Amino acid sequence: MHFQLDRFQPGDMVTGKIIALEDTCVFVDFGTDRSIRIPLSELSMNEIQNPEDALTLNEVREFLVVGNYDGKRDIFFSHCSPKTLQGSDRLYERAYELASFQCGHFISKENFILHTKIIGVGAGGVSARLQWFASSQEHPPTISFSIRQLEIKKAWERLRQLQAHDVISRSA
């Protein structure tokens, strides 16, 4: 099940409590007005046959918030001044122009959704990732929740750490 992008931001990690286990899904309480259904395919990066292979009733778990964005809707800015990111419409306007250019037509500002994530801060300035979405009747912005995507993200982070420390992995 997908939910509108008003409370949760794609890329955020949120905590939820498993309140029901069914054959093909679980229901999770995220503190919203209703429980959220998470399908079996999003419960683990391992292949599982039923929810009990990955979770237990009343367990509290972290989930990654996943938006219906595609990688083509990311804009990266590096070496921005903090002033550019805060209290300025210049970054928003530039992202809006680039998004309209990528679409091949102007997007109505009412239908333009932009989420900014700070990637890093250094001597050269701030690097930011902007995810944008052009909302429409046929294609509303939605989110879903995934343990699988969170596990994949953590696995890649761990591999990057091992690589940074020049750790060599051998198979026996």
Side-chain angles (χ1 to χ4, degrees), residues 2-67:
H2 296 285
F3 289 85
Q4 296 299 318
L5 285 173
D6 53 359
R7 178 167 177 211
F8 302 100
Q9 300 288 318
D12 287 350
M13 287 191 298
V14 295
T15 303
K17 182 179 180 180
I18 310 303
I19 58 171
L21 300 165
E22 296 195 357
D23 291 339
T24 61
C25 67
V26 297
F27 287 88
V28 182
D29 179 5
F30 288 106
T32 56
D33 58 348
R34 60 184 174 171
S35 62
I36 297 173
R37 180 186 177 278
I38 312 286
L40 187 66
S41 62
E42 295 301 323
L43 299 180
S44 177
M45 72 179 194
N46 298 314
E47 190 171 321
I48 59 172
Q49 301 304 314
N50 57 61
E52 290 86 2
D53 292 343
L55 303 166
T56 58
L57 191 61
N58 296 319
E59 181 179 358
V60 175
R61 288 293 302 261
E62 282 188 321
F63 293 79
L64 183 66
V65 179
V66 182

Side-chain angles (χ1 to χ4, degrees), residues 67-76 95-104 107 112-114 129-134 139:
N68 61 342
Y69 297 100
D70 57 28
K72 299 173 188 163
R73 295 183 174 173
D74 288 353
I75 302 170
F76 293 92
Y96 173 72
E97 290 170 9
L98 288 170
S100 293
F101 177 76
Q102 286 178 1
C103 283
I107 301 168
F112 182 66
I113 299 170
L114 184 68
R129 174 184 183 195
L130 284 68
Q131 292 180 306
W132 64 270
F133 191 87
H139 197 59

